[in-house]
Amino acid sequence: TPAQYISGRFEFARPYEWLHAATPPTARLLLLGESRTFYLERQVIAGGNFDGPRLAGWLGSFPSGAALHAELRALGITHVLIRGKGYRVLSPGARPLTLIEKEQVLEVPMRTDAMLKEMLRTEAALRYQDPAYLAFELR
């Protein structure tokens, strides 16, 4: 079936199956480093292709993890999904992104990454983890 094909072929299938099983239909998700929203039966906020700089700028505009958390809750975000291959921390001396990576990768400065990780550590609970994805539930 189409569902079996997707489940066996694409790494996003497992976390998406978990999201469908573990979150209510009213859940609202923030996807970081992931732009495939078609397969999710939940409301989502995500960057599309070539949207990494815009999304990184938005994340970096918050002065603290508490401010980011407050904005996410105001937007109704209940969960944050991070795709490891699609999320990259810009560090000194890092090689530039390739053209294909620029289309798909969310690259954030080290300060933004630290702020996001602090917010997730203090204002969220890790609910799902596999080699490619992390899913957090906001408090």
Side-chain angles (χ1 to χ4, degrees), residues 24 26-30 45 58 62 65-80 119-120 123-125 136-139:
T26 57
R28 191 163 201 202
L29 317 171
L30 172 65
I45 294 177
W58 177 73
F62 296 96
L68 173 60
H69 180 257
E71 178 65 13
L72 294 178
R73 296 307 291 165
L75 292 171
I77 300 297
T78 59
H79 294 77
V80 176
M119 185 277 295
L120 292 172
E123 304 292 346
F136 298 87
E137 181 177 7
L138 294 182
R139 293 187 179 108

Side-chain angles (χ1 to χ4, degrees), residues 122-133:
T122 61
E123 304 292 346
L126 180 64
R127 298 292 188 212
Y128 175 88
Q129 181 175 6
D130 71 25
Y133 288 86

Side-chain angles (χ1 to χ4, degrees), residues 101-129:
E101 288 172 328
K102 284 181 182 180
E103 181 179 344
Q104 301 173 350
V105 172
L106 169 60
E107 185 175 54
V108 299
M110 292 171 59
R111 179 202 149 306
T112 301
D113 177 63
M115 183 264 304
L116 174 67
K117 287 180 178 170
E118 175 66 16
M119 185 277 295
L120 292 172
R121 187 181 68 72
T122 61
E123 304 292 346
L126 180 64
R127 298 292 188 212
Y128 175 88
Q129 181 175 6

Side-chain angles (χ1 to χ4, degrees), residues 13-24:
R14 285 183 307 212
Y16 283 24
E17 288 169 1
W18 178 85
L19 286 165
H20 288 138
T23 66

